[in-house]
Amino acid sequence: MVGATGKGQAPGGASNYADTAAAAAAAVTQSSSYLKALNESFATMPTGSDSERGRHYTPQNPYATHSSYPAAPSSIFENPAVFEKLGTDCLFFIFYYAQGTYQQYLAARELKKQSWRFHKKYMTWFQRHEEPNVTTDEYEQGTYVYFDYETGWCTRIKQDFRFEYSYLEDQLQ
């Protein structure tokens, strides 16, 4: 570039050019380190399933146990009459932690006998606390007790809840 004097000089002198080149190199280095950090954090980014609690109960015992300690669940839990004697906490535990088993089916069956209803959208059990205020062909609305398995493992009351029948699991499989 031709300067004010007509000679070939960088604007502001050669030292400014060197400073600009050094600043550009530093920016590229900084930019690549940001890009590297971003790629590393993206590779280890949490997913939605990271916040979910595992629902399958798998007993893990890294230590050798005595031979008298049972290695498999007792066959007594194949008997439906046993589930009639279990409390609701135990039935909820079996339902949520023995998924896909015959015991889950028996626990669900017993919960239904006790007037609990499974809500497919919220994946939890509800029971009427009192008669519904509104009842239509599509839903009923009122006060319900529900089992909170995610945050407290307890029953809670939900007032003015709209239970849509389309979310009601009415078949045991």
Side-chain angles (χ1 to χ4, degrees):
M1 177 176 200
V2 178
T5 61
K7 298 180 180 173
Q9 289 183 337
S15 65
N16 278 348
Y17 177 74
D19 291 343
T20 303
V28 167
T29 303
Q30 185 178 16
S31 175
S32 68
S33 68
Y34 284 142
L35 185 58
K36 181 180 175 186
L38 184 61
N39 283 335
E40 288 176 8
S41 66
F42 183 72
T44 59
M45 179 176 67
T47 63
S49 63
D50 290 335
S51 65
E52 294 178 6
R53 186 181 335 174
R55 295 193 184 150
H56 294 285
Y57 174 70
T58 305
Q60 296 181 0
N61 191 353
Y63 304 104
T65 56
H66 192 269
S67 62
S68 64
Y69 188 80
S74 174
S75 61
I76 194 170
F77 292 110
E78 302 291 327
N79 184 354
V82 169
F83 286 78
E84 295 173 2
K85 299 174 185 172
L86 299 176
T88 54
D89 278 343
C90 188
L91 292 171
F92 285 130
F93 179 83
I94 293 168
F95 179 82
Y96 286 108
Y97 284 93
Q99 292 188 0
T101 65
Y102 181 59
Q103 288 76 21
Q104 182 189 31
Y105 165 79
L106 292 174
R109 190 174 82 171
E110 189 57 35
L111 286 166
K112 286 188 82 142
K113 283 183 186 176
Q114 296 178 14
S115 301
W116 287 93
R117 303 153 79 180
F118 190 72
H119 195 288
K120 293 186 284 189
K121 180 179 178 185
Y122 298 117
M123 303 297 287
T124 193
W125 290 87
F126 283 81
Q127 187 180 53
R128 288 179 178 167
H129 187 259
E130 55 192 32
E131 286 299 312
N133 301 334
V134 178
T135 303
T136 69
D137 290 341
E138 289 87 30
Y139 69 91
E140 59 186 51
Q141 189 167 339
T143 303
Y144 286 83
V145 176
Y146 71 96
F147 184 73
D148 181 8
Y149 70 93
E150 291 182 308
T151 59
W153 199 263
C154 61
T155 55
R156 300 186 190 275
I157 294 180
K158 182 75 172 169
Q159 295 183 348
D160 201 33
F161 179 72
R162 182 177 176 157
F163 197 118
E164 296 183 31
Y165 297 134
S166 62
Y167 294 120
L168 174 64
E169 178 64 65
D170 53 359
Q171 298 209 8
L172 292 176
Q173 298 173 349

